[in-house]
């Protein structure tokens, strides 16, 4: 019987993927679900942009990819980079429920194994949640009133519309972005409360891994 061994790089990639998603102790179930949901609120619009602009799929109303960019940056490439960046930015919310959001990973030079200061994670996340909530709520409200973010009337071929299937598809792709800010705010509050109630992960000798444990009055912390 032939057995197949997994390539070392596949094993390392699988372990890194699992470590990046595995929640630490005391994370509420709702916070885990919210954190895992955030990247999926960004995914539909990213896929729509790449399909419509980069691959010129006939799914959008009007001409796509006509924005002003430097001559050296093709719109097709810009949309791909923007979509990847958006997904990576959304994925940082998972750090608020994972070990790498409490102890710097081994690959961070100079900080590996050190505890992440609570405010260093909470302040950027809270600001991001506020900006995202305001930005997407105001943008969607303006579009629903037939205006752009500057208050100007929308052109007849604006991509987001309820007049045909292409416009409805674009609305369906961008509507989940309304949840990005509120979900991030909820996960940020859960992170802040958890870090206040528990002792931080102890730096481990193996490069930054450790276990979280709560403080109990009259009970010595594990060593």
């Amino acid at each position: 019987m032939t057995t197949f061994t997994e390539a070392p790089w596949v094993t390392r990639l699988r372990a890194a993927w699992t470590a990046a998603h595995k929640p630490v102790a005391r994370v509420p179930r709702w916070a885990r679900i919210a954190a895992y949901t955030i990247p999926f609120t960004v995914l539909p619009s990213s896929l729509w942009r790449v399909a419509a602009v980069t691959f010129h799929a006939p799914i959008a109303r009007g001409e796509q990819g006509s924005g002003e960019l430097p001559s050296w940056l093709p719109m097709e490439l810009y949309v791909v980079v923007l979509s990847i960046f958006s997904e990576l930015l959304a994925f940082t919310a998972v750090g608020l429920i994972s070990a790498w959001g409490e102890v710097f990973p081994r690959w961070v030079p100079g900080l590996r194994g050190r505890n992440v200061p609570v405010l260093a994670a909470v302040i950027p996340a809270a600001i991001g949640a506020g900006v995202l909530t305001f930005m997407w709520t105001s943008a969607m409200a303006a579009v629903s009133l037939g205006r752009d973010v500057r208050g100007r009337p929308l052109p007849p071929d604006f991509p987001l519309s309820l007049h045909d299937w292409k416009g409805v598809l674009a609305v369906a792709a961008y509507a989940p972005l309304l949840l990005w800010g509120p979900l991030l705010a909820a996960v940020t509050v859960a992170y802040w409360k958890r870090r206040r109630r528990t002792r931080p992960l102890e730096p481990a000798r193996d490069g930054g891994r450790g276990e979280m444990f709560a403080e109990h009055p009259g009970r010595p912390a594990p060593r």
Side-chain angles (χ1 to χ4, degrees), residues 98-207:
S98 305
W100 55 276
E102 301 193 15
V103 172
F104 288 104
R106 288 176 292 179
W107 50 265
V108 180
L111 295 174
R112 64 187 67 184
R114 294 179 180 271
N115 294 324
V116 176
V118 178
L119 293 182
V122 169
I123 292 178
I127 293 175
V131 170
L132 289 167
T133 301
F134 174 79
M135 179 176 68
W136 290 115
T137 301
S138 59
M140 293 298 182
V143 169
S144 67
L145 296 174
R147 303 281 176 174
D148 62 15
V149 292
R150 298 180 181 178
R152 299 174 301 189
L154 296 176
D157 59 351
F158 188 72
L160 276 68
S161 171
L162 299 179
H163 300 306
D164 54 30
W165 71 268
K166 293 181 178 180
V168 172
L169 179 62
V171 170
Y174 277 85
L177 290 170
L178 289 169
L179 300 176
W180 188 359
L183 287 176
L184 179 58
V187 176
T188 302
V189 171
Y191 175 89
W192 179 67
K193 289 183 176 180
R194 186 180 73 252
R195 291 292 303 273
R196 289 186 62 201
R197 291 196 305 262
T198 60
R199 293 184 61 180
L201 294 174
E202 287 188 340
R205 294 180 180 178
D206 59 357

Side-chain angles (χ1 to χ4, degrees), residues 33-69:
I33 295 175
Y36 294 148
T37 300
I38 289 175
F40 290 100
T41 66
V42 182
L43 185 61
S45 59
S46 297
L47 294 177
W48 184 91
R49 282 195 304 269
V50 171
V53 180
T54 303
F55 295 104
H56 305 286
I59 61 173
R61 303 174 74 244
E63 182 182 359
Q64 301 301 311
S66 57
E68 296 182 1
L69 288 176

